[in-house]
Amino acid sequence: MKNKKVIVLAAAAVALASCGGHVPRKSAQGATPFRPDIHNAETSLDYRGTYKGVLPAADCPGIETTLTLRPDGMYDLHMRYLERDAHYDASGAYTVRGNLLTLESSGDTTRYQVEENRVRMLDGDGQPIDGPLADHYVLRKTTE
């Protein structure tokens, strides 16, 4: 019976040691060392799928937009101008690096920031659009 207890204790010690539960040690100043968060859209989010929303427009009530990111690295974009007889369709390749989604089509580049179940359109310099309409530059992921 004593041998079984020793074996169980030894197995428990090995199991705990192999869990990889590393606790950061404090430096001499008492601060915990910085550990960068390596999670980003590319590694953590399920960004593939279809996103929809109405983007702001200067000369109509908005642009109804559907963006589909396919598993093969290609995208389809459909934009319909509200209260106008106009639409725009594009397709091409996309890449995701970190949280930056880049659409490439016929020499045009459009960038979005990937967020949880949505993408946020960025300006021509790849920066978030600010101002009172900033929240209107978001496409939300659908369940289609």
Side-chain angles (χ1 to χ4, degrees):
M1 182 74 167
K2 189 174 183 179
N3 282 342
K4 284 186 179 181
K5 285 182 183 178
V6 171
I7 291 173
V8 169
L9 286 175
V14 169
L16 286 174
S18 66
C19 286
H22 175 71
V23 177
R25 295 179 188 209
K26 296 197 180 228
S27 66
Q29 293 81 17
T32 302
F34 173 74
R35 289 187 173 219
D37 182 6
I38 59 170
H39 295 96
N40 58 47
E42 189 176 5
T43 60
S44 301
L45 297 177
D46 180 18
Y47 58 85
R48 293 174 185 95
T50 300
Y51 297 83
K52 291 185 176 187
V54 177
L55 300 176
D59 58 354
C60 71
I63 306 167
E64 187 177 73
T65 304
T66 302
L67 171 64
T68 302
L69 303 176
R70 301 189 325 230
D72 64 357
M74 302 299 286
Y75 76 89
D76 296 304
L77 177 66
H78 177 73
M79 302 173 90
R80 186 179 67 82
Y81 292 77
L82 300 176
E83 296 182 8
R84 298 189 136 205
D85 188 23
H87 68 276
Y88 172 79
D89 291 299
S91 61
Y94 72 86
T95 57
V96 176
R97 298 283 182 262
N99 290 2
L100 180 66
L101 165 67
T102 304
L103 309 180
E104 298 282 344
S105 175
S106 303
D108 291 331
T109 301
T110 307
R111 292 180 183 87
Y112 293 82
Q113 178 176 317
V114 179
E115 300 172 356
E116 186 76 32
N117 292 317
R118 61 191 195 168
V119 292
R120 180 178 304 275
M121 185 179 225
L122 302 175
D123 68 15
D125 295 324
Q127 299 300 312
I129 297 169
D130 57 6
L133 295 178
D135 289 338
H136 296 277
Y137 286 92
V138 174
L139 303 177
R140 300 195 186 291
K141 193 170 188 182
T142 67
T143 56
E144 296 177 4

